Each structure stands twice: as C-alpha cells, then as structure tokens.
Amino acid sequence: MAKPVVRIVAIEFALGLAVLAVLARAAQLQLIQGDQWAAKAAAQRTAREVLPARRGTIYDRNGVPLAVTQEFFHVGIAPNEVTERAELVRVASHSLGVSASQLDRSIRDGKRYIYFHGPYTATQVDRVRDFRGVHLEGEFLRYYPSRDLARAVIGRFGEDTTQRPSGLELSLDSLLTGTPGAAVVLKDQRGQRYDSPARVIREPVAGNDVVLTLDVELQEIAERGLDETIKALDADGGDVVFLDPATGELLALASRQAYNGKIGSFRASTFTDSYEPGSTAKLFTAASLLMHHAVDSTDTVDGEDGRWTFPVNTRGKTRTITDAHVNHGRITLAQAIQVSSNIGMAKFSQRLTPEQQYGTLRDFGFGTPTGTEFPSESRGRLARPDRWLPNYNGMSMAMGYAFDVTPVQLAAAYGAIADDGVLLTPTLVREIRGPDGELLYQHQPEPVRRAVTPEVAARLRTFLAGAAGEGGTGEKAQLLNYTVLGKTGTALRNVNGRYVAGTYTASFAALFPADHPQLVVIVKIDNPKTSYYGASAAAPLTHSMLEQALAAQHIPIDRVLLASGGPGRAAVAPPPPAAPRRDPARLEPVVRSWPLEPSGAVEGDSVAVPAVVGTTVREAALALHRRGFRVAVNGLVGPVTRSQPEAGASALPGTVVTLWTDAGDMTQ
C-alpha cells in the first residue's frame, strides 16, 4: 500500500510544481512584462503613420498660381477582396489607363496584390475608390503650372525629399511647410491596413500661401523680349528687372546665361551676379556732386575733343580717358550725362573727396545686399575710400567702373531717384495667407534711408530726360506718346580681373513715365556680338517691353494717372520735376493698393472712345490705354470688328472697352 501513496504524492508534487511554474510565468508575463507584450501586440495590429501636410501655394500678384501642391494617388488592388471583378476591370481600365485583359488575368490568377504606381490625380481615381479591394495611397507632389516662367526666382521643390529646395522655395520654406499630422492604422492578421478616421491622432495643418509681387504678364514680356534680343544680338545672356519705385515691389525678373553652349535660366543672376554698370552709374556721381554743392548748372569742363591724357603720379605715369562721342569745347554736368562723356564725369569727380563719393554710392545701396527675400544675394563690390588710388578709383567710379552692382541693386537705386530720393527695400513677397485664407502679412514699403533730397532727385530726373531725349544716347527707348527717362551704359567686360578687348556689357536704366514714374526698368545684355552699345542693344528692348506692357490688360500701371499726365515727349526741354509725393522731412511709406482702381474721375472727365475697328488687338489696346480705358477681348486674335462702347461714345477713364475680333488673321 505504501507504493501507491508515494506515487500519488509524487504526482501531486509534480502537479503543484507545474501549477507554480504556470502561475510564475503568468505573473511574469502580466505583471513584469505586461506592458512590453501589450505594446508588441498593438504593433502587430496597428501602425502609427505620419500624415503629410500640404505645402502652401505660391501665387503671382494677381492670384495666378506659380507653385501648387497637388495630391496624387498610387492604386493597389487586393484580388481576394474583390467582389465586382468585371465592373472593376472595366472602370479601372478606363480611369487608370491600364490593360483590361491584363488586369482581369492578374485578378483571376489570384495574385496577392496588384500595384499601379501612377501617380494618378483625384479625378482619375474617383470612380475606383469605392470598389471593395481597391486601396489608395495618397502623396503630395509639387507642380508648377507656368512651367519655366520665373523658374530661377521661384526655384524648385524636388520630389526627392533629400533634394534641397532652391530659390524662393528655399527662403520661404518655413512659411510654406505645414505641420504633419499623425494617425493609427489598423492591420489584419495578413498585415493588410485599414484606415479609420476615428484613429487620427492629429490632423495635418497645411502650409501658408504666399502671394508674390511678380506679375505673370510682365514676366512673360520680360522673358520673351530678353530671349529675342539675346538671339538677335548673339549675346551670352542678360537680365531684365521691373520694379515699382513707390513700393519697392519687384514686378518681373528675367535672367539668361550661357552654359555648355546653350542659353537658359540657370540661376537668378539679377540677384546673384554683379557687374560693372558703366554709364548707367554716372548719375550717382552727379548726385554726389549736387548733394555736396560741388557743381552748379553753369559749371563746365573741357571735353578735350574726346581724348584726355593726364599724369597720375610724380613718376611720369599717365592715364588716357576717351569718349565715344567727341565733345568739342566745354560741357556742363547735364551735358556730360546727356552724351555720356567719360571725360566730363572724370573731371567733375575730382571735385569730390573719396569719402563723399563713396558715401553717396553707399547711400544708394551699393556694396551691400538689398535685403530681398531671395537667398544667396550678392552684395556687389565697393572698395572702402581708404583703399582708393589717386586719379584712378574716383574717376573710374564716375564712369561706372571699379565697382560692381547687381541688376536689382541698380533698380532699387533708380527707384530712389524716381521716389524723390528715398531708397526702399526691394521685395518679392506681397502677402502671406494662412491655410484658412486669413491675412497674416501684407507688404508695406520699407524705407532704408534718404539717399538724396527731393530737389536733387528732381534734378537727376531732368538729367535722365536729356539723356533719353533728342540728342541723348537713350533716344531709341522713347515711346510715341509717353516720355521715358533713362540712361544707357556700355562697359568693357572684366573677366578674372582683366578687361577683355572686344567684349562689352550693354545696359539701359529707365523710369516710366517721366511724370510720376511708375516703373523702373533695368536691361543688361552680356557680350552682344552684333551691336554692343547700350543705345542700340538695350534701349530698343526697353522700348519694346514698355509698348507691350501698355497693351497688356493687367500690368500694374495706373492708367488713369498715366492718361491725366497727357501725352508728350521730352525732346528738347526736359519735363518739369514731379511733385513730391511725401513730406520731404518724413520717411513714411506710400502704400498703393493693387490692382489700381480709377480714381478721381468725375462726369466732366469723360473722353471719347477712339476708332479701333480694323486695327490689330495690340494697336487697339494701345490706343485705348492711352485714353485711360481698360480692355477686354472676345474671340481670337485678328482685326477688331467692333467695340463696345462704340467709337465716339463718351466714357470715363477706367471704363472697360470690349473688343470683338476676326479670327482669320493669326499673324499679329
């Protein structure tokens, strides 16, 4: 009997040990390792995902999208989940552009998963999204509707997240980038994921939208005109800048450079590449002379018959300065600007100390970045006056050599002359709006400093009128009915510290119109081969672009103010100085609302609608804009067949005149 009792006790003891082991293991799993195993189980049935945020949109000043983030989709089909095979094959083949027979065969063969990368738009996947077994994977991609328009300025945001943005996409990245969201995605035993709105932990917040100061129409005019000029002159590249002098807003920026034998927009050279401005900078030495009362209207210097050789030191070394336009006898400062005399400006500059001349150049913003939103902006080159060589730097700077500027710097400096002497910070950002449309920022003019007095600025504008008037070097920039103020420049090119004979930079700086300038235009052509003078290479392009701008519908020009100034051309006598637009003693900015609406018109201001039937759309638009009317066009290009209001009818400036055209003539 003892043996059965022993066996029973042994069995009970073994069972007790087993129970204790189970309890110990259970305690270990639940009490000690419970959190660890719970997390592992949750990870197997759920996945935490980052919900990408939509990147903000970049618009031009009129609301035209320049950079847009769109949601695209990749499509996956799980054949074991499909319940409407025939209908799914029919719809998917049509919407996704895939082979119906191949898709049907893939589903019949029982493949685990069928994947179509696409990417597909929301419209393309809309009809397949509700089918059982169809799984969509969304992705945000950056899209540029205007293609390469202003590409160097706007930059690019690559599909590859490791690729760094460029241009404004880079400098505005913190504004455009939204805040990602987070969600928990459920998975079944096969690892298939199921999205559930209730599992969203944090909704993504889209980035801010940015409205630029650029105008798409004017940008197209600038880029097209620059391309045509470079081709006609066989040039190595060039730049064009349009700026509003009253606000500092950059309206158009075109850049072209030669690279591997091709001309293209490889970088925004209006910001990044500096050059010696040549005669377009003579005006700033004139400004220094006037500000320091070193010259008056009667002072003259000898033109030296176009060639002046003089000693530069006591050791017998000499220097020779020549003029393209020979000046016999004595010339005033105004005449030196008008005929672009190197000799005259060099002689007048001797009346200034290096500190005075340098100070004025710095006051106009040279030698320092302008402060625009564009990354990697060049500061140009302007040596300190204590490093100047006697009889060299001062004279060279008076002629536009020995210092470098960027096209945007030069535009801002000419903007100060147009705006009664106040230098404004150029800007590319007009507004910033939140994802809900709330206005977060609106640009207002930012005065940097007063470069010259209003009286000196007015005097400089009269110099520009002479330079662009009859007998001046910039006469080819003049329009038929409006006066353009401007100055040409032709500078020998400096390559790697040496001037290369036979290579030049042709340029033109303009203010339009003469009374109350609304546009600053800077044109620079790099190494033109067929005609290298600024008067024949850059001034005609300015003329062409301004004509097209006047014929365009939405260019930011106050046509009522333009019409009220009346036609006229500064041929012999310069126009009277524009009245100051602000208290000279104050620097409060002048805020102009865009788009501009007709202002100050009363019943007595009505003018007759001109006869435009039979003319081209461009000719008709020019005629109507000169009277202060707005233009709308119905139909294709071609001769105008009728207008409403009709010719001879009285209407207020700012009235929209609708044109109907004949589509037969496509040769405008």
Side-chain angles (χ1 to χ4, degrees):
M1 292 295 294
K3 289 183 178 180
V5 172
V6 172
R7 284 198 294 271
I8 291 172
V9 170
I11 292 171
E12 290 177 344
F13 181 75
L15 290 174
L17 288 178
V19 170
L20 288 174
V22 171
L23 292 174
R25 180 59 175 164
Q28 180 188 24
L29 293 176
Q30 296 186 38
L31 300 179
I32 299 175
Q33 300 177 346
D35 293 341
Q36 175 184 346
W37 289 106
K40 188 173 182 179
Q44 290 179 343
R45 69 175 184 273
T46 63
R48 188 182 179 95
E49 283 195 345
V50 174
L51 301 179
R54 183 185 298 272
R55 189 173 177 85
T57 302
I58 299 177
Y59 298 95
D60 92 324
R61 64 186 303 111
N62 298 312
V64 178
L66 299 174
V68 181
T69 294
Q70 292 185 334
E71 187 173 17
F72 291 87
F73 297 88
H74 311 294
V75 180
I77 299 176
N80 63 317
E81 300 175 14
V82 173
T83 57
E84 303 173 85
R85 178 178 54 79
E87 183 65 12
L88 173 59
V89 168
R90 184 186 68 80
V91 174
S93 63
H94 180 267
S95 299
L96 306 182
V98 299
S99 169
S101 59
Q102 185 175 352
L103 176 58
D104 185 64
R105 184 166 54 253
S106 298
I107 296 176
R108 286 177 179 273
D109 291 345
K111 288 187 176 182
R112 290 189 61 186
Y113 203 69
I114 305 169
Y115 181 74
F116 299 103
H117 182 270
Y120 300 102
T121 65
T123 302
Q124 289 175 299
V125 303
D126 185 60
R127 295 184 60 193
V128 301
R129 66 168 65 241
D130 293 331
F131 281 94
R132 183 175 176 82
V134 173
H135 303 274
L136 303 181
E137 179 184 343
E139 178 184 12
F140 287 126
L141 296 177
R142 200 66 164 164
Y143 173 63
Y144 299 88
S146 298
R147 298 181 181 272
D148 290 336
L149 189 73
R151 175 170 184 169
V153 176
I154 297 169
R156 285 295 182 266
F157 187 83
E159 297 180 15
D160 182 1
T161 56
T162 63
Q163 180 181 349
R164 196 167 182 232
S166 61
L168 290 177
E169 289 275 30
L170 170 62
S171 60
L172 303 177
D173 187 54
S174 60
L175 294 171
L176 297 168
T177 301
T179 304
V184 173
V185 180
L186 303 179
K187 297 189 294 184
D188 61 15
Q189 65 272 19
R190 292 188 299 272
Q192 182 63 51
R193 300 186 303 179
Y194 297 92
D195 296 336
S196 172
R199 294 280 179 168
V200 174
I201 300 174
R202 183 178 63 253
E203 291 284 356
V205 179
N208 298 313
D209 296 333
V210 176
V211 179
L212 301 182
T213 59
L214 297 180
D215 182 280
V216 164
E217 270 193 288
L218 198 56
Q219 182 72 28
E220 289 178 345
I221 290 171
E223 291 191 8
R224 182 172 61 247
L226 183 60
D227 288 337
E228 292 172 354
T229 299
I230 289 173
K231 183 178 180 180
L233 299 177
D234 190 22
D236 291 345
D239 298 282
V240 171
V241 177
F242 278 83
L243 176 139
D244 181 352
T247 64
E249 294 181 347
L250 292 162
L251 305 175
L253 297 159
S255 303
R256 296 290 186 268
Q257 308 91 34
Y259 182 74
N260 288 342
K262 295 182 179 180
I263 301 292
S265 181
F266 304 107
R267 62 182 180 275
S269 52
T270 52
F271 294 102
T272 61
D273 294 11
S274 59
Y275 68 103
E276 290 180 311
S279 296
T280 56
K282 288 176 177 175
L283 206 64
F284 305 111
T285 294
S288 188
L289 288 163
L290 294 174
M291 284 294 291
H292 294 97
H293 307 287
V295 67
D296 61 34
S297 59
T298 61
D299 288 345
T300 60
V301 295
D302 193 338
E304 303 289 347
D305 292 330
R307 185 177 182 84
W308 180 37
T309 302
F310 58 95
V312 296
N313 56 35
T314 57
R315 296 188 298 274
K317 185 177 181 180
T318 62
R319 181 183 183 185
T320 299
I321 297 177
T322 60
D323 279 339
H325 305 281
V326 177
N327 299 293
H328 303 285
R330 303 187 70 82
I331 56 175
T332 64
L333 179 60
Q335 291 170 332
I337 297 291
Q338 180 183 20
V339 298
S340 200
S341 170
N342 291 332
I343 295 173
M345 293 307 302
K347 286 190 171 184
F348 277 119
S349 71
Q350 292 179 308
R351 304 184 182 192
L352 296 169
T353 67
E355 291 75 19
Q356 289 173 332
Q357 192 173 357
Y358 172 86
T360 301
L361 291 173
R362 282 303 296 261
D363 285 345
F364 275 103
F366 300 123
T368 183
T370 63
T372 60
E373 297 82 2
F374 192 84
S376 305
E377 182 187 9
S378 171
R379 67 187 306 119
R381 176 177 64 96
L382 180 62
R384 296 202 319 253
D386 59 336
R387 298 178 180 175
W388 291 15
L389 298 176
N391 294 317
Y392 181 77
N393 287 77
M395 291 183 177
S396 296
M397 289 181 179
M399 297 183 291
Y401 289 93
F403 75 107
D404 293 352
V405 306
T406 66
V408 170
Q409 281 180 326
L410 190 62
Y414 267 80
I417 296 172
D419 200 33
D420 294 328
V422 176
L423 179 70
L424 300 179
T425 300
T427 185
L428 282 165
V429 176
R430 193 159 186 249
E431 290 180 357
I432 299 173
R433 294 186 175 273
D436 58 353
E438 179 187 2
L439 181 63
L440 304 177
Y441 166 83
Q442 187 170 37
H443 171 259
Q444 292 188 356
E446 301 176 19
V448 179
R449 69 181 68 88
R450 178 171 288 286
V452 293
T453 65
E455 294 75 20
V456 169
R459 185 82 178 276
L460 295 175
R461 291 195 295 270
T462 65
F463 289 171
L464 290 175
E470 185 175 348
T473 57
E475 187 177 3
K476 290 184 178 180
Q478 287 299 339
L479 301 176
L480 181 63
N481 288 71
Y482 299 103
T483 304
V484 177
L485 309 181
K487 182 71 187 75
T488 58
T490 306
L492 195 63
R493 290 172 65 84
N494 190 315
V495 180
N496 298 324
R498 299 184 63 182
Y499 289 101
V500 181
T503 63
Y504 298 90
T505 298
S507 57
F508 189 72
L511 306 181
F512 174 81
D515 296 322
H516 306 289
Q518 299 182 43
L519 292 176
V520 174
V521 186
I522 302 296
V523 174
K524 176 177 75 75
I525 307 298
D526 298 326
N527 195 25
K529 310 298 192 305
T530 59
S531 178
Y532 60 83
Y533 285 111
S536 55
L541 174 56
T542 305
H543 171 96
S544 173
M545 291 189 299
L546 287 175
E547 272 195 334
Q548 294 177 65
L550 286 170
Q553 294 188 40
H554 302 297
I555 300 300
I557 297 176
D558 187 339
R559 303 187 190 279
V560 176
L561 180 62
L562 197 63
S564 66
R569 180 172 177 173
V572 180
R581 283 170 286 176
R582 61 165 64 89
D583 183 349
R586 305 177 66 187
L587 294 182
E588 281 81 357
V590 177
V591 181
R592 182 184 298 178
S593 61
W594 297 102
L596 286 163
E597 297 295 335
S599 59
V602 295
E603 193 65 31
D605 293 328
S606 296
V607 294
V609 176
V612 294
V613 172
T615 64
T616 65
V617 172
R618 182 166 296 175
E619 292 169 342
L622 278 170
L624 292 165
H625 288 155
R626 287 167 185 160
R627 301 290 183 91
F629 296 116
R630 298 177 183 270
V631 178
V633 180
N634 282 338
L636 300 175
V637 294
V640 176
T641 57
R642 63 188 178 99
S643 67
Q644 182 63 38
E646 297 180 348
S650 295
L652 292 174
T655 300
V656 176
V657 177
T658 303
L659 305 177
W660 282 264
T661 64
D662 183 352
D665 181 9
M666 301 293 290
T667 61
Q668 290 191 84

